[in-house]
């Protein structure tokens, strides 16, 4: 990593030249404590630090990358050395520390300390005296293992996020819409499952609940997604149906827009068109940190969580984290009981040139009396005023899901501005469920139940990614370049039995009935029923112009996928689909000021078209890859301690479905979704913090094999959503904080083909937390 050292005029240029390739260096100097008059105009921060070094005869050390695009305010008065540096770094996200020799070291705020032994030979090579001391440095830009971006004012949202293979990016230099929730926010809102965190994004709507067992269904910008497209540390295709806990999760990041360029194509049946959720794992803390928490959720769900992490080594280069959670009890839904276990562990090494991170996650979910949604309704009205504690499924319904996930990531700094990385993940999932599938809700509350049982064993997924990231300068243009290759494969043994007319029955949401357990059985076959393999190659570069105030990101991903279906009994292949595609992406960003940026992008999404369901005429047929595209323009700005994000977007999404007339599963058209998103977060005043947002949607079918559906809006997508989370510290009693959350959704169409709408709804949640000591807190939240 390059560091800039500003000294006196006669040696400055020699110092900068000599330091290429060194991590950092410090030299002794005579500190100026008497105020000195200085007159600085507003200018780039690196130029201002140069003037300070010159005026005060002080050595200032700054890693060159962190000064890019930073500007310093004007100063015209008498100041000491420390005072002038503090003024220059205001609102820059940087801070200054003194080295043992008295030099000033400029670093990102809240950066992790690391001891660097500067050897005598390195010091003599640079022409300076040898010194052993502690300094603070940042990791190579783009590293996925290095320190996280600091939290924004209020501590609830981070100032940056991980953008898949493009690595860590500052929010104001990211040309797509993003939001990154910190562990502080997750803990304060008692977020114990991923679905809980997703409620904080107005562009996301959960379509299933934890009481259903898997609870992994959600929409991003109105487009269905799910756990199979959730990324872990920037790598997709690791989760299946077991809803992950937030144990071991440091941050939950939402990246809106197609994920193909950033995370590649998932070999699973998933959709990354609307965006993707990225989970950042926890690592051991420098001083060793542990926590123990117990909680209670109605009706009688209790949970316990234990976490501990620490670091060791001469420079804290080794770190480990262990966490576990156990949840069990009866929920507020009749006959519904949950038992969930999750364990997470990480081991990392953070050396000067080499970094490694290994993560392990085990999840086990068991739900008895599984609840389920009702698909579709028959008008002209929807039934209302029913008891929401009623279980519309059956007491004998259940779901069991188990997952074991392991991921290893390696990074090596070839030079101070180039690193190579590699990732490998392997996961095994088992899933079994017996359920009554509800549909055709009528005004009197009647609906139809069809019984089915699933048994899926040995769902195995392996993903490999390797690449090189490099930063360099050609003339006046900077480059942030990455080239990466990905390979993945998935296999599963799947069996489904059900939808027998003899087992079909009528139920009612006002007076649910319990039917006898049907005499159906399902068992995973001895052979694989499907196998998917995919290969991808990506090249991308961010060009920086005018001292990186104007940034142009271009990328191209090649994706090749092969999907195969097999007879689970005989092992004979019954169908194969192959396809490949080039998916381009382009984005432009301009930093109007240090606190305002505007951007626009065009991205393409590539999804696995999926396999025809058992009830389709072409059951088992594979569609191969299907492509969608998106456009977005937006702005990001900071006004004091409040951040604002505004985005306008449009998706042209490929549609696949089973034709109700022909019964054939195929690509059958295109849907256009447009929208406007507004997000605000930060600290309104010292005692008041907010995360709030609004999303406006407009969606319609623009192409279809069924002309009667053209122009229809998307089922379940409202015209708008509103969200606000508020925290207020009582001034007279700092230990007490009141919290509130409001969610509102406009009416939405129930199903395609009729004008029946779900009414709008509003929920208000209230809570408080009280800190008895610095390490003991009590939290209470009432959700509606």
């Amino acid at each position: 990593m390059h560091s800039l050292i500003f000294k006196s005029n006669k040696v400055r240029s020699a110092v900068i030249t000599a330091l290429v390739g060194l991590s950092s260096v410090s030299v002794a100097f005579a500190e100026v404590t008497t105020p000195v008059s200085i007159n600085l105009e507003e200018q780039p921060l690196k130029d201002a630090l140069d003037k300070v070094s010159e005026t005060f005869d002080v050595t200032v050390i700054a890693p060159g990358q962190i000064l890019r695009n930073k500007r310093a305010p004007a100063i015209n008065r008498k100041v000491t050395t420390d005072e002038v540096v503090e003024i220059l770094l205001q609102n820059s996200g940087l801070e200054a520390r003194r080295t043992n020799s008295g030099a000033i070291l400029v670093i990102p705020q809240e950066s992790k300390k690391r001891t660097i032994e500067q050897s005598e030979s390195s010091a003599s090579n640079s022409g300076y005296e040898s010194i052993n001391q502690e300094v603070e440095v940042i990791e190579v830009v783009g590293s996925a293992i290095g320190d996280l971006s600091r939290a924004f004012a209020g501590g609830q949202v981070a100032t940056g996020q991980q953008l898949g293979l493009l690595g860590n990016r500052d929010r104001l230099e990211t040309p797509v819409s993003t939001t990154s929730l910190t562990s502080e926010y997750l803990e304060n809102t008692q977020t114990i499952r991923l679905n809980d965190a997703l409620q904080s994004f107005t562009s996301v709507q959960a379509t299933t609940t934890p009481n259903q067992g898997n609870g992994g269904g959600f929409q991003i910008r109105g487009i269905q997604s799910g756990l199979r497209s959730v990324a872990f540390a920037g790598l997709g295709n690791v989760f299946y149906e077991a809803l992950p806990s937030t144990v071991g999760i440091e941050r939950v990041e939402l990246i809106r827009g197609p994920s193909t360029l950033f995370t590649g194509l998932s070999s699973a049946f998933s959709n990354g068109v609307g965006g993707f959720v990225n989970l950042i794992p926890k690592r051991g803390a420098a001083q060793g940190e542990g926590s123990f928490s117990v909680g209670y959720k109605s009706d009688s769900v209790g949970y316990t969580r234990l976490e501990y992490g620490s670091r060791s080594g001469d420079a804290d280069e080794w770190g480990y984290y262990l966490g576990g959670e156990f949840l069990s009890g009866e929920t507020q839904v009749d006959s519904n009981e949950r038992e969930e276990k999750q364990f997470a562990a990480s081991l990392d090494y953070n050396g000067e040139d080499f970094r490694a991170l290994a993560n392990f996650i085990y999840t086990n979910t068991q739900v008895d009396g599984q609840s389920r949604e009702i698909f579709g309704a028959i008008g002209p009205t929807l039934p209302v005023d029913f008891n929401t504690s009623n279980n519309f499924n059956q007491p004998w319904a259940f779901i069991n899901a188990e997952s074991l996930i392991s991921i290893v990531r390696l990074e090596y700094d070839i030079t101070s501005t180039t690193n190579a990385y590699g990732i490998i993940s392997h996961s095994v999932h088992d899933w079994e469920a017996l359920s009554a599938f509800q549909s055709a809700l009528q005004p009197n509350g009647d609906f139809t139940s069809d019984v089915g049982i699933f048994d899926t064993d040995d769902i195995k997924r392996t993903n490999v990614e390797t690449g090189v990231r490099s930063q360099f300068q050609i003339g006046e243009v900077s480059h942030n370049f990455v080239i990466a290759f990905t390979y993945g494969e998935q296999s599963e043994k799947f069996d489904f039995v059900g939808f027998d007319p003899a087992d079909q029955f009528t139920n009612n949401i006002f007076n649910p009935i319990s039917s006898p357990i049907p005499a159906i059985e399902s068992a995973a076959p001895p052979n694989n029923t499907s196998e998917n393999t995919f290969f991808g190659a990506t090249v991308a570069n961010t060009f920086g112009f005018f001292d990186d105030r104007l940034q142009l990101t271009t990328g191209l991903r090649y994706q090749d996928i092969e999907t195969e279906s097999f007879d689970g009994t005989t092992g004979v292949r019954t169908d194969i689909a192959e396809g490949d595609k080039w998916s381009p992406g382009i984005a432009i960003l301009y930093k109007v000021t240090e606190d305002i940026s505007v951007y626009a992008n065009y991205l393409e999404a590539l999804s696995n078209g999926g396999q025809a369901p058992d009830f389709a005429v072409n059951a088992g047929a594979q569609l191969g890859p299907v492509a969608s595209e998106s456009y977005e323009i937006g702005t990001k700005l900071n006004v004091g301690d409040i951040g604002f994000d505004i985005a306008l977007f449009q998706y042209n999404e490929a549609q696949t479905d089973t034709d109700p007339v022909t019964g054939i599963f195929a690509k059958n058209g295109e849907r256009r979704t447009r929208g406007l998103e507004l997000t605000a977060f930060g600290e309104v005043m010292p005692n008041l913090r907010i995360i709030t947002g609004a999303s406006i949607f407009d969606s319609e079918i623009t192409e279809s094999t069924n002309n009667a559906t053209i122009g229809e809006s998307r089922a379940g997508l409202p015209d708008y959503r509103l969200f606000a989370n508020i925290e207020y510290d009582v001034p007279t009693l700092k230990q007490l904080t009141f919290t509130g959350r409001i969610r509102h959704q406009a009416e939405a169409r129930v199903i395609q083909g009729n004008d029946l709408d779900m009414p709008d709804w509003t929920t208000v949640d209230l809570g408080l937390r009280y800190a008895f000591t610095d390490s003991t807190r009590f939290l209470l939240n009432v959700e509606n």
Side-chain angles (χ1 to χ4, degrees):
M1 180 181 304
H2 289 186
S3 296
L4 298 184
I5 296 187
F6 304 101
K7 210 170 181 293
S8 64
N9 278 331
K10 59 185 178 181
V11 298
R12 186 180 306 113
S13 59
V15 170
I16 295 176
T17 302
L19 282 179
V20 173
L22 298 181
S23 292
S24 58
V25 142
S26 58
V27 296
F29 76 104
E31 180 182 357
V32 177
T33 56
T34 304
V36 174
S37 293
I38 190 169
N39 186 358
L40 298 176
E41 60 183 13
E42 183 183 351
Q43 59 189 301
L45 180 57
K46 63 183 179 182
D47 294 339
L49 291 175
D50 193 354
K51 296 286 180 57
V52 169
S53 173
E54 198 175 291
T55 303
F56 290 87
D57 192 23
V58 59
T59 299
V60 181
I61 308 171
Q65 300 290 356
I66 68 175
L67 300 183
R68 287 169 48 186
N69 304 320
K70 307 281 186 192
R71 294 189 67 81
I75 304 176
N76 186 9
R77 61 187 177 92
K78 284 189 174 183
V79 288
T80 65
T81 310
D82 290 343
E83 287 174 345
V84 69
V85 173
E86 182 178 357
I87 294 170
L88 293 177
L89 298 184
Q90 284 180 356
N91 301 319
S92 68
L94 306 174
E95 61 183 337
R97 301 287 175 85
R98 289 284 188 175
T99 67
N100 291 350
S101 63
I104 295 176
L105 179 68
V106 179
I107 57 171
Q109 290 177 355
E110 302 179 5
S111 180
K112 177 180 65 65
K113 287 187 176 181
R114 186 147 60 96
T115 301
I116 301 282
E117 296 291 334
Q118 181 63 45
S119 66
E120 290 187 5
S121 59
S122 295
S124 61
N125 287 338
S126 62
Y128 288 99
E129 174 186 355
S130 171
I131 297 174
N132 292 332
Q133 60 179 37
E134 282 194 356
V135 299
E136 293 184 2
V137 300
I138 61 170
E139 309 300 343
V140 172
V141 173
S143 167
I145 304 179
D147 293 333
L148 297 172
S149 55
R150 65 186 179 87
F152 193 77
Q156 300 178 319
V157 174
T159 58
Q161 69 293 308
Q162 191 176 99
L163 205 59
L165 60 85
L166 298 186
N168 294 326
R169 290 291 182 96
D170 182 86
R171 164 179 154 264
L172 291 176
E173 295 190 13
T174 302
V176 295
S177 179
T178 62
T179 305
S180 179
L181 302 178
T182 65
S183 59
E184 179 179 342
Y185 178 79
L186 300 179
E187 292 168 3
N188 288 341
T189 54
Q190 291 184 290
T191 297
I192 61 174
R193 290 294 177 271
L194 176 60
N195 267 19
D196 301 330
L198 297 181
Q199 302 304 315
S200 298
F201 306 116
T202 59
S203 52
V204 179
Q205 173 64 43
T207 55
T208 57
T209 72
N211 297 334
Q212 292 180 219
N214 53 333
F218 55 88
Q219 295 177 347
I220 301 178
R221 288 179 167 176
I223 299 175
Q224 188 63 32
S225 189
L227 286 181
R228 305 182 196 188
S229 59
V230 172
F232 186 84
L235 184 68
N237 199 34
V238 293
F239 295 102
Y240 189 69
E241 293 289 348
L243 183 66
S245 163
T246 54
V247 168
I249 302 303
E250 180 70 29
R251 289 180 178 173
V252 175
E253 302 179 337
L254 175 65
I255 291 84
R256 304 169 183 88
S259 61
T260 299
L261 182 63
F262 309 124
T263 63
L265 171 64
S266 167
S267 65
F269 181 31
S270 59
N271 191 331
V273 180
F276 67 100
V277 175
N278 185 37
L279 307 181
I280 301 297
K282 286 185 176 179
R283 296 164 55 206
Q287 303 302 319
E289 292 181 353
S291 67
F292 172 75
S293 57
V294 294
Y296 168 86
K297 293 169 67 70
S298 59
D299 276 350
S300 61
V301 177
Y303 65 91
T304 301
R305 176 179 291 189
L306 180 64
E307 297 179 279
Y308 183 78
S310 186
R311 306 200 69 82
S312 62
D314 293 338
D316 283 340
E317 63 270 26
W318 289 99
Y320 70 90
Y321 163 87
L322 296 171
E325 181 180 81
F326 178 76
L327 179 150
S328 180
E330 298 180 358
T331 75
Q332 63 270 42
V333 177
D334 295 340
S335 304
N336 184 258
E337 297 183 14
R338 295 166 59 192
E339 181 175 296
E340 301 176 15
K341 298 182 284 288
Q342 177 155 315
F343 303 97
S346 75
L347 176 67
D348 72 275
Y349 176 81
N350 198 358
E352 185 171 351
D353 297 318
F354 176 73
R355 295 170 296 281
L357 174 63
N359 292 100
F360 306 92
I361 303 172
Y362 172 77
T363 301
N364 184 293
T365 299
Q366 299 181 25
V367 177
D368 293 325
Q370 176 203 16
S371 65
R372 284 196 66 89
E373 65 274 66
I374 299 176
F375 293 94
I378 301 173
T381 61
L382 282 175
V384 295
D385 297 329
F386 54 87
N387 188 343
T388 55
S389 294
N390 289 345
N391 191 336
F392 309 140
N393 206 341
Q394 294 296 304
W396 39 259
F398 73 87
I399 183 169
N400 297 329
E402 187 175 32
S403 293
L404 179 61
I405 300 167
S406 57
I407 303 174
V408 176
R409 180 187 296 265
L410 307 174
E411 294 181 349
Y412 177 72
D413 298 340
I414 301 171
T415 70
S416 58
T417 58
T418 301
N419 72 19
Y421 73 94
I423 317 166
I424 183 169
S425 74
H426 183 71
S427 58
V428 180
H429 313 272
D430 293 320
W431 185 57
E432 182 183 13
L434 171 63
S435 180
F437 298 84
Q438 289 79 228
S439 63
L441 179 63
Q442 301 180 50
N444 66 354
D446 284 349
F447 59 90
T448 301
S449 289
D450 287 289
V451 179
I453 184 169
F454 299 83
D455 196 340
T456 308
D457 282 345
D458 290 336
I459 305 168
K460 296 179 180 178
R461 293 180 177 176
T462 300
N463 301 277
V464 179
E465 180 178 313
T466 183
V468 175
R469 301 187 185 97
S470 183
Q471 294 180 342
F472 52 91
Q473 192 95 8
I474 299 179
E476 297 297 318
V477 181
S478 68
H479 298 261
N480 195 331
F481 176 81
V482 60
I483 183 170
F485 302 91
T486 56
Y487 173 80
E489 58 183 35
Q490 171 183 309
S491 63
E492 67 176 42
K493 301 173 181 178
F494 173 79
D495 187 42
F496 170 78
V497 177
F499 293 171
D500 187 335
D503 294 321
Q504 189 179 95
F505 60 95
T506 299
N507 209 335
N508 186 278
I509 64 172
F510 295 104
N511 298 292
I513 63 171
S514 297
S515 70
I517 300 178
I520 62 175
E521 294 184 1
S522 176
N527 298 300
N528 290 337
T529 54
S530 69
E531 294 180 2
N532 298 344
T533 58
F534 65 94
F535 169 79
T538 304
V539 59
N541 189 44
T542 298
F543 302 86
F545 305 92
F546 312 119
D547 199 21
D548 287 347
R549 294 189 66 176
L550 176 65
Q551 299 179 23
L552 174 66
T553 300
T554 60
L556 184 65
R557 180 182 282 267
Y558 170 77
Q559 201 75 67
D560 180 89
I561 183 169
E562 178 182 273
T563 59
E564 300 176 88
S565 299
F566 299 86
D567 184 303
T569 302
T570 65
V572 175
R573 187 171 67 190
T574 57
D575 192 49
I576 183 172
E578 297 178 275
D580 62 343
K581 192 176 187 303
W582 293 90
S583 300
I586 185 169
I588 188 167
L589 179 143
Y590 180 69
K591 295 198 71 175
V592 182
T593 69
E594 283 303 301
D595 292 314
I596 302 175
S597 60
V598 294
Y599 68 91
N601 66 58
Y602 167 82
L603 297 170
E604 290 192 359
L606 198 60
S607 303
N608 182 355
Q611 180 177 339
D614 288 349
F615 53 81
V617 171
N618 57 337
Q622 297 281 356
L623 292 191
V626 295
S628 305
E629 59 185 13
S630 82
Y631 307 84
E632 181 177 318
I633 60 173
T635 183
K636 304 179 182 186
L637 63 154
N638 299 333
V639 181
D641 289 334
I642 304 178
F644 296 91
D645 291 347
I646 304 171
L648 279 165
F649 62 88
Q650 175 177 310
Y651 295 119
N652 298 323
E653 175 197 5
Q655 299 286 289
T656 59
D657 202 356
T658 303
D659 190 286
V661 177
T662 65
I664 298 175
F665 180 77
K667 180 180 177 181
N668 64 351
E670 186 173 274
R671 179 183 295 278
R672 183 186 66 206
T673 301
R674 292 171 173 167
L676 168 66
E677 288 175 346
L678 303 97
T679 305
F681 51 87
E683 200 164 33
V684 179
M685 58 182 69
N687 298 321
L688 181 63
R689 296 169 296 280
I690 63 166
I691 298 180
T692 184
S695 293
I696 301 171
F697 303 102
D698 176 61
S699 178
E700 65 177 77
I701 295 175
T702 54
E703 298 177 17
S704 177
T705 54
N706 181 4
N707 291 334
T709 64
I710 293 179
E712 284 199 1
S713 60
R714 182 186 294 274
L717 182 65
D719 289 338
Y720 65 89
R721 289 197 195 102
L722 306 174
F723 168 83
N725 188 87
I726 302 171
E727 292 190 354
Y728 178 69
D729 301 327
V730 179
T732 56
L733 189 60
K734 290 294 185 181
Q735 302 95 323
L736 179 63
T737 300
F738 288 108
T739 63
R741 175 182 290 180
I742 300 173
R743 284 174 290 183
H744 175 77
Q745 177 168 302
E747 64 180 20
R749 180 184 293 270
V750 174
I751 193 173
Q752 286 183 196
N754 65 39
D755 295 327
L756 188 61
D757 289 329
M758 293 180 288
D760 63 343
W761 53 263
T762 303
T763 63
V764 178
D765 306 333
L766 298 174
L768 62 84
R769 65 176 179 268
Y770 185 84
F772 294 99
T773 66
D774 290 341
S775 59
T776 305
R777 298 187 303 163
F778 171 80
L779 299 93
L780 173 67
N781 288 297
V782 178
E783 296 183 351
N784 294 294

